[in-house]
């Protein structure tokens, strides 16, 4: 119980710090038509990933039954960003410090989700595949060029 709370607080604090940093990077343009361009929505990708981390950390703290799904979804999304960037699918706007931090937290989250050390609701194969597919969809939505 104590280790679960410490892990969840660590993930939540990292999620809050990264969310604040990524929110401050967002440029809010002047004019109405700019809000309908893809470039405007692409800048919300890092914020979406950090909010996934924040939600997963909160779920871990309260011991929610969907904790492992949230951890797996964040883990896949966090690791797919640098992978897709490296293979040239898109150019990620995630800063280097964010990529490293998110990747470390993503690996930890995937381990927590699949090893289930806190004996929360275990992930089924179907739910694990769904979390992977949703991670790909989130990454492509925020980063795929038009």
């Amino acid at each position: 119980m104590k280790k679960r709370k410490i892990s969840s607080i660590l993930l939540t604090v990292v999620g809050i710090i990264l969310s604040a940093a990524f929110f401050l990077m967002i440029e809010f343009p002047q004019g109405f038509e700019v809000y309908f361009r893809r470039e405007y929505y692409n800048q919300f990708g890092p914020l979406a990933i950090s909010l996934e981390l924040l939600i997963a950390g909160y779920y871990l703290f309260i011991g929610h039954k969907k904790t492992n799904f949230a951890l797996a979804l964040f883990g896949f999304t966090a690791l797919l960003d640098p992978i897709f960037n490296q293979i040239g699918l898109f150019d990620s706007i995630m800063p280097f410090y964010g990529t490293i931090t998110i990747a470390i937290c993503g690996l930890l989250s995937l381990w927590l989700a699949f090893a289930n050390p806190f004996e929360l609701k275990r992930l089924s194969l179907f739910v694990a595949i769904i979390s992977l597919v949703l991670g790909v969809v989130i990454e492509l939505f925020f980063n795929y060029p038009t």
Side-chain angles (χ1 to χ4, degrees):
M1 176 82 145
K2 189 174 182 179
K3 290 181 183 180
R4 180 175 60 92
K5 299 280 184 175
I6 291 170
S7 300
S8 66
I9 290 171
L10 176 68
L11 291 175
T12 304
V13 167
V14 170
I16 290 171
I17 291 169
L18 288 177
S19 294
F22 296 151
F23 182 77
L24 293 174
M25 288 178 19
I26 295 173
E27 296 177 16
F28 295 99
Q30 299 292 326
F32 188 67
E33 68 279 347
V34 181
Y35 288 100
F36 294 105
R37 294 194 185 134
R38 185 97 175 121
E39 297 83 28
Y40 174 70
Y41 295 104
N42 286 353
Q43 65 183 343
F44 287 94
L47 180 62
I49 295 172
S50 63
L51 288 175
E52 285 181 14
L53 174 59
L54 182 64
I55 292 167
Y58 173 71
Y59 275 8
L60 184 60
F61 185 79
I62 64 171
H64 195 274
K65 65 180 182 175
K66 301 285 185 186
T67 299
N68 286 333
F69 172 74
L71 287 168
L73 177 62
F74 163 72
F76 284 130
T77 308
L79 293 177
L80 286 171
D81 189 69
I83 290 171
F84 286 168
N85 190 25
Q86 285 298 313
I87 65 173
L89 189 60
F90 56 76
D91 291 326
S92 177
I93 63 167
M94 177 85 67
F96 185 69
Y97 70 88
T99 301
I100 298 300
T101 307
I102 291 289
I104 291 169
C105 291
L107 288 171
L108 174 65
S109 294
L110 283 176
W111 178 77
L112 289 173
F114 288 104
N116 198 20
F118 303 123
E119 298 179 5
L120 300 167
K121 184 179 177 190
R122 191 170 272 295
L123 279 180
S124 66
L125 179 61
F126 177 73
V127 172
I129 292 171
I130 292 296
S131 64
L132 174 62
V133 169
L134 283 175
V136 169
V137 168
I138 290 168
E139 276 303 306
L140 292 179
F141 177 79
F142 285 110
N143 293 305
Y144 199 72
T146 56

